[in-house]
């Protein structure tokens, strides 16, 4: 991904968001769309009960948006910079490749990201191969990142994810995707950990294991109580003190490995270094430590056509249903309900460490954006400086 895209795609919208914060009426569009393509999932994770909801309501699968509906929605949205596919388990959608094709055609994203529980190694490989080809045909410079989850090593991973043999399938999925990386220059393998009370003592071991596999990009996100996950009563989130200490160690490991990584990894992990600091402050202060642009910069599309400002507020503060507007995104985007939700967030009635939203909010917050770009420049040019000084 070219840094130039920040100035051509992101900066104009960020300026509009900032003007709006000062009460100046300007039109604006989201830069990030997260689309939960299904709530179906084979995992039984300790940090998420979405599978339990679907188990109780099996007929909900029949209500998922079909390709015709998705095409109408994407047509009305226009250009999106970050396109995040979510679930459930995205690879349970048999038409996932077609969904990505529609996104490439109408949303023209600059980055595409898909997580997976890694329980279907062969299917994940086949579909990732097809997706990478599809993305490349539309724009060779668009990175397609796929992120298998790793929440522990061996049986610990299986226990947290609730499926025996998951770790073995994870390793198989990683090997399959590493081979695909050599075939597709636009495909990027990334591993991710949900940091919860169940694995707070294992992060060093997990990080060292990930780096031993030769995987360039590794991220972690804090376990959250979300409307989307039906886990509001589950004590899964680490305390601020614990998380801060964990992230200080984790950030140190990132810095040790970052200079040798590819440009995309340098850019994304430079952003995450700032994110980890902000999460610690958010948990400690229990408030928005930087302005949140949920429902402005980011939106979440559910499998059933509802638009949320984010998956944390989810069912509690929906912006509306696209099925009720005949799939007209503009009607929903400018509706009184959407404006009411934005005001609720802008008035700081909520706070959270949601990663996808925090990344966009960082770019809209000048001090945090400066820190991010300093990290990018430092890690991009430090190898050259070190080489020069060593001569």
């Amino acid at each position: 991904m070219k840094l130039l895209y920040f100035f051509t795609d992101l900066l104009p919208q960020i300026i509009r968001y900032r003007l709006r914060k000062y009460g100046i009426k300007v039109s604006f569009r989201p830069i990030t769309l997260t689309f939960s393509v299904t709530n179906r999932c084979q995992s039984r994770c300790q940090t998420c009960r979405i599978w339990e909801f679907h188990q109780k309501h099996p007929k909900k699968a029949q209500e998922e948006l079909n390709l015709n509906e998705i095409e109408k929605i994407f047509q009305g949205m226009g250009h999106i910079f970050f396109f995040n596919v979510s679930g459930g388990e995205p690879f349970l959608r048999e038409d996932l490749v077609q969904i990505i094709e529609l996104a490439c055609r109408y949303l023209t994203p600059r980055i595409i990201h898909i997580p997976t529980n890694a329980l279907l190694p062969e299917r994940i490989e086949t579909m990732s191969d097809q997706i990478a080809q599809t993305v490349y045909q539309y724009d060779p410079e668009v990175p397609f990142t796929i992120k298998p989850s790793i929440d522990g090593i061996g049986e610990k991973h299986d226990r947290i994810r609730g499926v025996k043999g998951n770790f073995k399938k994870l390793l198989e999925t990683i090997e399959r995707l590493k081979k695909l990386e050599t075939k597709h220059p636009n495909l990027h393998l990334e591993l991710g950990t949900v940091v919860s009370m169940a694995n707070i003592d294992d992060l060093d071991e997990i990080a060292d294991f990930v780096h031993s596999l030769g995987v360039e990009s590794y991220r972690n996100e804090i376990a959250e109580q979300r409307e989307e996950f039906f886990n509001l009563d589950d004590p899964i989130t680490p305390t601020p003190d614990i998380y801060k200490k964990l992230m200080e160690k984790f950030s140190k490991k990132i810095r040790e490995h970052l200079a040798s990584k590819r440009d995309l990894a340098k850019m994304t992990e430079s952003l995450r270094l700032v994110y980890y600091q902000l999460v610690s402050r958010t948990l400690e202060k229990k408030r928005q430590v930087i302005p949140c642009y949920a429902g402005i910069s980011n939106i979440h599309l559910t499998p059933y056509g509802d638009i949320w400002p984010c998956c944390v507020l989810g069912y509690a503060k929906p912006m509306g249903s696209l099925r009720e507007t005949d799939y007209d995104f503009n009607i929903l985007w400018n509706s009184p309900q959407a404006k009411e939700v934005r005001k609720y967030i802008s008035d700081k009635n909520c706070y959270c460490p949601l990663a996808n939203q925090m990344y966009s909010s960082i770019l809209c917050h000048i001090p945090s954006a400066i820190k991010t770009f300093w990290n990018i420049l430092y890690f991009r040019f430090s190898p050259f400086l070190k080489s020069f000084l060593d001569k």
Side-chain angles (χ1 to χ4, degrees):
M1 184 191 70
K2 291 183 177 180
L3 189 59
L4 175 65
Y5 291 150
F6 172 80
F7 298 99
T8 59
D9 289 31
L10 292 180
L11 189 58
Q13 286 298 337
I14 290 173
I15 292 172
R16 289 175 179 271
Y17 302 154
R18 298 277 303 178
L19 290 174
R20 186 187 174 282
K21 282 285 185 182
Y22 290 114
I24 301 173
K25 292 185 177 181
V26 292
S27 62
F28 58 92
R29 308 288 285 187
I31 56 175
T32 300
L33 169 64
T34 299
F35 180 17
S36 291
V37 295
T38 184
N39 279 346
R40 290 171 285 153
C41 190
Q42 325 95 301
S43 295
R44 301 292 183 263
C45 298
Q46 295 179 15
T47 56
C48 173
R49 294 184 181 275
I50 201 169
W51 59 271
E52 195 174 68
F53 169 81
H54 204 277
Q55 198 173 53
K56 293 177 181 177
H57 306 279
K59 292 185 178 180
K60 289 293 287 184
Q62 301 171 18
E63 300 177 20
E64 292 175 356
L65 294 166
N66 61 43
L67 285 177
N68 289 333
E69 292 177 299
I70 293 170
E71 182 170 17
K72 291 177 183 178
I73 292 170
F74 286 0
Q75 279 181 306
M77 281 189 178
H79 177 53
I80 294 288
F81 195 93
F82 301 100
F83 180 54
N84 300 315
V85 176
S86 184
E89 169 52 37
F91 286 91
L92 289 178
R93 284 278 309 224
E94 294 182 359
D95 55 1
L96 182 60
V97 178
Q98 287 78 16
I99 291 174
I100 301 301
E101 193 277 329
L102 290 173
C104 290
R105 189 192 312 175
Y106 296 112
L107 304 179
T108 59
R110 295 300 187 188
I111 296 177
I112 298 173
H113 176 77
I114 304 179
T116 178
N117 59 24
L119 285 171
L120 299 169
E122 186 174 351
R123 183 189 183 104
I124 292 168
E125 178 188 23
T126 299
M127 297 181 82
S128 296
D129 188 9
Q130 295 170 348
I131 291 170
Q133 292 180 50
T134 299
V135 174
Y136 189 87
Q137 288 170 1
Y138 275 90
D139 189 339
E141 294 183 347
V142 171
F144 159 47
T145 300
I146 179 166
K147 186 190 75 174
S149 298
I150 177 168
D151 290 343
I153 306 300
E155 292 183 0
K156 186 67 173 284
H157 176 78
D158 294 353
R159 185 163 63 254
I160 293 174
R161 306 293 295 186
V163 178
K164 189 175 181 179
N166 194 161
F167 189 74
K168 183 178 179 180
K169 290 184 178 180
L170 168 64
L171 295 182
E172 181 183 347
T173 300
I174 291 171
E175 288 307 308
R176 288 176 179 268
L177 292 175
K178 284 175 67 176
K179 290 179 181 178
L180 275 186
E181 272 191 308
T182 64
K183 177 181 178 182
H184 300 290
N186 63 330
L187 189 147
H188 299 261
L189 169 62
E190 175 180 272
L191 295 184
T193 298
V194 177
V195 181
S196 71
M197 292 303 294
N199 61 6
I200 55 174
D201 296 324
D202 307 319
L203 290 190
D204 279 344
E205 181 186 15
I206 297 171
D208 290 340
F209 181 78
V210 169
H211 288 118
S212 75
L213 295 175
V215 176
E216 282 206 343
S217 187
Y218 173 52
R219 74 165 84 177
N220 71 51
E221 297 173 10
I222 191 167
E224 296 178 77
Q225 295 167 312
R226 301 183 187 176
E227 286 276 345
E228 179 193 26
F229 291 163
F230 306 97
N231 63 356
L232 296 180
D233 297 323
D234 295 343
I236 56 176
T237 306
T239 64
D241 288 344
I242 291 175
Y243 185 80
K244 183 177 181 180
K245 291 177 182 177
L246 291 173
M247 289 307 100
E248 286 174 352
K249 293 173 65 177
F250 187 74
S251 296
K252 183 178 179 181
K253 284 185 179 291
I254 289 178
R255 294 178 185 278
E256 288 173 356
H257 294 275
L258 197 52
S260 62
K261 294 184 178 181
R262 289 189 287 179
D263 283 347
L264 179 64
K266 289 178 181 177
M267 292 174 67
T268 55
E269 297 201 6
S270 293
L271 182 65
R272 288 171 198 152
L273 287 171
V274 178
Y275 162 73
Y276 298 138
Q277 293 175 342
L278 290 174
V279 171
S280 295
R281 288 176 55 200
T282 300
L283 294 176
E284 180 183 356
K285 303 293 185 181
K286 295 184 178 181
R287 61 175 175 81
Q288 293 180 23
V289 294
I290 63 174
C292 179
Y293 289 80
I296 299 174
S297 65
N298 291 40
I299 52 172
H300 190 111
L301 174 61
T302 75
Y304 318 113
D306 300 308
I307 293 289
W308 296 343
C310 66
C311 59
V312 175
L313 293 177
Y315 297 99
K317 292 290 179 181
M319 300 177 77
S321 168
L322 287 167
R323 280 176 167 162
E324 294 179 2
T325 65
D326 196 25
Y327 311 102
D328 191 321
F329 178 74
N330 290 314
I331 291 177
L332 185 149
W333 188 241
N334 296 298
S335 69
Q337 184 174 341
K339 293 176 182 177
E340 183 180 329
V341 171
R342 292 189 191 107
K343 187 177 186 306
Y344 176 88
I345 298 167
S346 181
D347 288 346
K348 300 184 178 181
N349 290 302
C350 59
Y351 68 92
C352 75
L354 178 63
N356 284 338
Q357 181 56 58
M358 189 78 82
Y359 296 154
S360 296
S361 295
I362 286 171
L363 296 177
C364 296
H365 183 243
I366 293 175
S368 299
I370 290 173
K371 288 181 182 179
T372 300
F373 280 104
W374 168 253
N375 287 339
I376 292 172
L377 292 173
Y378 176 80
F379 288 114
R380 175 171 284 190
F381 295 111
S382 60
F384 300 103
L385 292 173
K386 186 177 185 302
S387 176
F388 176 79
L389 293 173
D390 287 344
K391 288 183 179 179

